[in-house]
Amino acid sequence: MTQLQMIKQHFDTGHSLSGYEAANLYRIASLPRRINDLEAQGMKIKRETKKDTTGRRYVRYTQLAA
């Protein structure tokens, strides 16, 4: 299964995904690059900047309804 297929499957379950989660769950080192690839294929994805408990910022990606 490709990285794009893994991300699509993750989104199909209704979950969002962060870079940290992608690295730990799927061994995807560059989630933003894969998100750009999915958008190039026509998938609509929402980006949401968040802060963790230590104040570090990260981006959480969610697939938008088609």
Side-chain angles (χ1 to χ4, degrees):
M1 183 179 289
T2 69
Q3 290 182 347
L4 294 181
Q5 291 169 330
M6 287 186 277
I7 296 168
K8 283 180 188 178
Q9 185 176 16
H10 185 89
F11 284 149
D12 287 344
T13 64
H15 293 96
S16 60
L17 191 62
S18 71
Y20 181 78
E21 292 166 337
N24 286 314
L25 293 172
Y26 306 115
R27 311 305 273 169
I28 296 172
S30 183
L31 181 60
R33 179 66 233 168
R34 301 291 74 82
I35 293 296
N36 286 338
D37 292 343
L38 289 171
E39 288 176 324
Q41 293 178 3
M43 185 180 282
K44 302 291 184 197
I45 298 175
K46 174 184 171 185
R47 290 166 173 79
E48 193 173 2
T49 303
K50 301 221 172 215
K51 283 187 181 181
D52 65 14
T53 56
T54 66
R56 186 173 179 174
R57 292 185 305 158
Y58 65 98
V59 177
R60 179 158 293 281
Y61 300 94
T62 308
Q63 180 181 7
L64 297 175

